[in-house]
Amino acid sequence: MIEIVTAGESHGKMLVGIISNVPAGLTVDGEFINSELKRRMLGLGRSARMQIEDDCAEIVAGVRAHKSTGSPIALLIKNNDYQSWQNTIGADATGTDRKLTAVRPGHADLSGAVKYRFSDARNVAERASARNTAMLVALGAIAKQYLAELGITVASHTVAIGIVKAKACTDYTDVNTRADADKVRCLDAAASEKMVGEIRIAALSGDTLGGASEIVVKGVKSGVGSYTALNKRLDGIIMSAVGSVPSVKAVEIGDGIDGASLYGSAVHDEIYLSNSGKAERRTNRAGGIEGGMSNGQDIIIRAYFKPIPTLKNGLNTVDISTHKQAKAASERADVCAVPAGGVVCEAAVALALASALSDMLGGDTVEEVKRRYEQKESAV
Ligand code: EPS
């Protein structure tokens, strides 16, 4: 089963990632990985950190002459900002500056400091930082290359920022090309303009904004995941992966939220006999997953992000060194990370799906994986 592990601090020397159980013979395109990393850095509302970094992954193991060898693939992404943190972060650091004791509500600071018994939440903030999502995107790019061999694509677009909602998407072609051309990765031009306005207002008032992204997976055959065991249910696997992305507080599959307040007759996708005699659905309110399995339709996921918890005007908190009431620490942070969050969720979904597929198909080589997938029926 395809699995990942990552390490790295926001201002440490580098981010490290390993993806294991990738079959041999997969073309691993370093340029594609880097283009995915660039997509994560874009979008109005990102912090000044994005001007410091030039995210680029170095492939240091598991790939030879652009092909996976079947061994674990290891990646490195350098943190340029380490230059300014050398004496604070790292194994040989001696600096005790940059303490973080006025813990930020909504961030990992307080619970992390209590859990690991730190008197300074810097260790927590460094690892909990969404900086680590750069490595998630790089590893996700390898998962996307595995999925591409099976004809599967993963894309995303912004559907809400603050109170501004995009109109429902009816055209799921070339989603990433169209979304990436927009400042906030929104496919609805009128909504995009309003979203830009909302981000500017939040920036001026030292505040932050959340929102939602829709992730669209095309080309998945029927029958990935299984109803036979809780941990094989594809909706659960995807929700867990997306829900683990920093800032995500809710995950929806298809029309899950609206459907909860409707009659069943208005929710479930009726099944018809097609002209070719196959059973098919004309609607996709289930978002491509029924009974914990893909049903052959597009898989539609929505990730809901909370506003970034680092605020210019810190919220009320307690300073864990003085045990006095304080204003939360303010650090450089994004005003709105929703456009980037969509790209990160694509990676999380690609990895979850690649993992579920590799669990189902096994296979030592890409050719073997492809042959096994081709044998799967997509409809009856
Ligand atoms: C991020 C890097 C971080 C933050 C952001 C995401 O860099 P720095 O802390 O140096 O500004 O900009 O992370 C957060 C907002 C957060 O709360 O963790 C990145 O590379 O995506």
Side-chain angles (χ1 to χ4, degrees), residues 11 40 46-47 49-50 107 129-131 310 332-334:
H11 306 99
R40 192 198 74 98
R46 299 307 313 274
S47 82
R49 177 78 185 269
M50 296 304 106
H107 223 303
S129 165
R131 174 80 194 136
T310 311
R332 175 182 56 205
D334 307 302

Side-chain angles (χ1 to χ4, degrees), residues 2-4 17-23 26-34 36-37 57-63 66-69 71-76 134-149 152 346-347 350-351 354-355 366:
I2 290 177
E3 282 174 328
I4 66 161
I18 295 178
I19 180 164
S20 48
N21 302 321
V22 174
L26 179 74
T27 301
V28 179
D29 178 352
E31 278 179 29
F32 175 69
I33 298 175
N34 291 336
E36 290 289 281
L37 287 171
E58 189 187 347
I59 305 170
V60 293
V63 178
H66 308 292
K67 295 275 185 196
S68 63
T69 59
S71 305
I73 300 173
L75 304 180
L76 305 177
M135 184 49 78
L136 186 62
V137 166
L139 296 169
I142 297 177
K144 280 189 174 184
Q145 291 173 75
Y146 169 93
L147 297 175
E149 293 288 344
I152 299 168
E346 284 175 38
L351 284 160
S355 180
V366 170

Side-chain angles (χ1 to χ4, degrees), residues 306-380:
K306 69 183 177 188
I308 298 282
T310 311
L311 302 181
K312 278 225 169 69
N313 311 315
L315 296 174
N316 289 323
T317 191
V318 169
D319 187 310
I320 56 170
S321 62
T322 61
H323 289 96
K324 292 209 165 104
Q325 195 68 46
K327 289 289 175 193
S330 180
E331 309 226 316
R332 175 182 56 205
D334 307 302
V335 173
C336 175
V338 176
V343 177
V344 175
C345 288
E346 284 175 38
V349 169
L351 284 160
L353 200 54
S355 180
L357 276 157
S358 70
D359 182 32
M360 180 174 88
L361 300 169
D364 293 321
T365 68
V366 170
E367 289 315 316
E368 216 172 307
V369 174
K370 281 168 77 169
R371 254 197 324 273
R372 290 178 185 178
Y373 191 60
E374 269 157 29
Q375 283 162 7
K376 290 273 165 198
E377 286 289 347
S378 48
V380 288

Side-chain angles (χ1 to χ4, degrees), residues 238-263:
I238 287 177
M239 284 181 183
S240 164
V242 175
S244 305
V245 169
S247 286
V248 172
K249 294 295 276 184
V251 188
E252 179 184 19
I253 309 255
D255 293 347
I257 292 175
D258 284 349
S261 55
L262 300 174
Y263 287 116

Side-chain angles (χ1 to χ4, degrees), residues 86-170:
Q86 279 195 49
N87 204 33
T88 311
I89 305 290
D92 299 323
T94 53
T96 52
D97 56 335
R98 290 163 151 157
K99 281 195 165 73
L100 204 171
T101 54
V103 291
R104 296 162 296 174
H107 223 303
D109 304 348
L110 179 56
S111 304
V114 170
K115 178 176 172 69
Y116 294 104
R117 297 175 182 242
F118 296 138
S119 54
D120 165 15
R122 176 55 60 195
N123 285 349
V124 181
E126 284 293 319
R127 180 63 185 153
S129 165
R131 174 80 194 136
N132 192 46
T133 62
M135 184 49 78
L136 186 62
V137 166
L139 296 169
I142 297 177
K144 280 189 174 184
Q145 291 173 75
Y146 169 93
L147 297 175
E149 293 288 344
L150 308 178
I152 299 168
T153 59
V154 185
S156 72
H157 61 110
T158 301
V159 294
I161 286 183
I163 55 164
V164 183
K165 289 189 173 62
K167 60 176 189 282
C169 182
T170 49

